[in-house]
Amino acid sequence: MSQYSAILGTGASLPRRAVSNQELTAFLAAKGVETSAEWIETRTGIQQRYICEPDETNSDMASKAALQALKAAGVLPDQVDLIVLATSTPDQVFPSTACAVQAQIGATHAMAFDIQAVCSGFVYALTVADSMIRAGQARNALVIGSEVFSRLMDWQDRTTCVLFGDGAGAVYLQGSDEPGILGCKLHSDGTLGCILNTTGRIEGGKIVGDPFLRMDGQAVFRQAVSVLGNSALELFEALNFKLEDLDFLVPHQANVRILHSVAKKLKLPEERVIMTVAQHGNTSAASVPLALNHAVAQKQIKKGDNVLLQGVGGGFTWGSVLVRM
Ligand SMILES: CC(C)(COP(=O)(O)OP(=O)(O)OC[C@H]1O[C@@H](n2cnc3c(N)ncnc32)[C@H](O)[C@@H]1OP(=O)(O)O)[C@@H](O)C(=O)NCCC(=O)NCCS
């Protein structure tokens, strides 16, 4: 059994089509929905998002991200023990998207399952995979966040449809005697389910309830700033870790104003906060691994750096994972 699990490779995949604020605004104007590129950028920091075409699927993106993470680690798919995939927009009700990825990449020896914790999904999945590796249930894992949130959008609702995008990110995690993941802490508050949800379900051959994403934006904003700041401080205290030893924060990418507020609350210089929301929009469970992969690819995050990964979203759910790269 390993004392730690360590991230040895990262990967990402985005849909073919990037949609700028200008393009989205023109598309919405044709539907009689009033917004502007300037409003979107000023209030959220988002400049563009990627949107899947009808022939692009969650599992296709997830498989590409997973193969890239394996390649970065120099590992073959049939060496993988475990696939944990975080999503709220699976290919289908069942089997899981993780099983579809297993089949697509040829991870013939892996066990595979999905986790659903909305925008906190990746930190939940990473915590589960880390725990399973340290408990001896697996020697290594692919941990993936992959979403097609564009398919939950009500294109008549300007308060939500400008915010979200599609994509996938992945990490390859392996048991290690050197640190690795230093600690994880997850939280949920189901009484706040009403501030961010998609309540529709399949029943009797029909969709019953609302098939679109609904959100009380201001309530989510306040909650996100509060829990992200507290969650970081709580984990640092539990691990006796000093804020000044943190090299980078990789938070869930929902709104640049949330990221600025969290940085301020933690007294963290903004150059140490990875921000990709301008390019990707909010990709829910994919946002943290997409941002991490971006920073690794840019050689901003390097081996040995202490990095705090943070998720927050529907449930309400939130959590932090501190990792030495
Ligand atoms: C959604 C969000 C961007 C809205 O920004 P905001 O500054 O709080 O804006 P408000 O909700 O106060 O709305 C201000 C005005 O802008 C309008 N508005 C909302 N969306 C708009 C859009 N796309 N274009 C133009 N105007 C818009 C509102 O209707 C409102 O108009 P009114 O004052 O006439 O009623 C912001 O609340 C947010 O980012 N929340 C968190 C979202 C999030 O992170 N979700 C995912 C978490 S995992």
Side-chain angles (χ1 to χ4, degrees):
M1 270 192 321
S2 305
Q3 194 182 349
Y4 296 101
S5 71
I7 293 177
L8 300 189
T10 67
S13 171
L14 291 161
R16 295 191 292 272
R17 184 162 166 237
V19 179
S20 68
N21 286 348
Q22 286 77 9
E23 280 174 87
L24 183 62
T25 302
F27 166 79
L28 293 174
K31 293 178 171 292
V33 178
E34 228 182 283
T35 182
S36 70
E38 200 244 328
W39 189 97
I40 300 168
E41 186 164 355
T42 325
R43 303 309 295 162
T44 71
I46 297 167
Q47 295 168 2
Q48 64 164 36
R49 73 288 295 139
Y50 291 81
I51 305 268
C52 280
E53 301 284 1
D55 66 329
E56 292 176 299
T57 67
N58 183 321
S59 59
D60 290 342
M61 291 191 297
S63 296
K64 284 182 194 151
L67 286 174
Q68 210 180 82
L70 290 181
K71 192 171 173 203
V75 172
L76 295 171
D78 68 358
Q79 295 173 302
V80 174
D81 283 353
L82 168 68
I83 301 173
V84 189
L85 185 145
T87 192
S88 303
T89 48
D91 280 359
Q92 55 202 5
V93 175
F94 68 82
S96 68
T97 305
C99 282
V101 170
Q102 179 197 14
Q104 281 191 44
I105 69 173
T108 41
H109 298 108
M111 58 190 137
F113 60 91
D114 287 359
I115 277 191
Q116 208 267 52
V118 202
C119 302
S120 310
F122 185 76
V123 294
Y124 268 69
L126 200 54
T127 301
V128 168
D130 171 62
S131 306
M132 287 181 72
I133 288 173
R134 286 187 300 104
Q137 293 284 331
R139 287 163 304 174
N140 62 51
L142 267 171
V143 184
I144 307 167
S146 186
E147 300 279 19
V148 199
F149 259 54
S150 62
R151 293 181 182 156
L152 298 180
M153 291 302 111
D154 174 358
W155 299 105
Q156 295 292 336
D157 179 3
R158 67 179 185 175
T159 69
T160 54
C161 72
V162 301
L163 303 175
F164 293 89
D166 305 332
V171 302
Y172 172 76
L173 200 63
Q174 189 172 289
S176 164
D177 295 329
E178 306 288 323
I181 289 182
L182 303 171
C184 313
K185 185 74 184 130
L186 304 177
H187 288 279
S188 311
D189 181 352
T191 66
L192 293 175
C194 53
I195 65 175
L196 178 54
N197 57 33
T198 297
T199 60
R201 64 183 186 279
I202 296 175
E203 192 178 305
K206 290 198 271 285
I207 293 169
V208 177
D210 187 346
F212 296 119
L213 179 147
R214 303 295 176 200
M215 178 174 72
D216 176 344
Q218 289 188 8
V220 170
F221 193 106
R222 279 194 302 276
Q223 198 64 26
V225 173
S226 157
V227 300
L228 288 178
N230 294 343
S231 159
L233 297 175
E234 174 194 29
L235 185 58
F236 291 166
E237 195 182 324
L239 296 172
N240 208 7
F241 181 88
K242 293 192 190 65
L243 182 63
E244 51 269 31
D245 292 331
L246 185 69
D247 295 297
F248 289 100
L249 175 64
V250 185
H252 171 50
Q253 308 283 315
N255 183 323
V256 82
R257 291 189 292 132
I258 296 179
L259 305 188
H260 289 314
S261 302
V262 174
K264 197 168 157 198
K265 194 165 168 179
L266 294 176
K267 299 189 181 67
L268 200 63
E270 283 189 8
E271 58 272 18
R272 289 207 264 144
V273 183
I274 304 299
M275 297 194 202
T276 52
V277 65
Q279 300 308 310
H280 299 156
N282 181 347
T283 56
S284 191
S287 92
V288 170
L290 272 172
L292 178 65
N293 179 70
H294 175 82
V296 168
Q298 299 294 310
K299 303 201 178 354
Q300 204 175 353
I301 291 182
K302 300 184 200 70
K303 190 158 174 49
D305 282 347
N306 292 319
V307 178
L308 185 70
L309 309 175
Q310 290 200 297
V312 59
F316 216 69
T317 54
W318 64 99
S320 297
V321 175
L322 183 64
V323 53
R324 185 158 310 148
M325 296 295 291

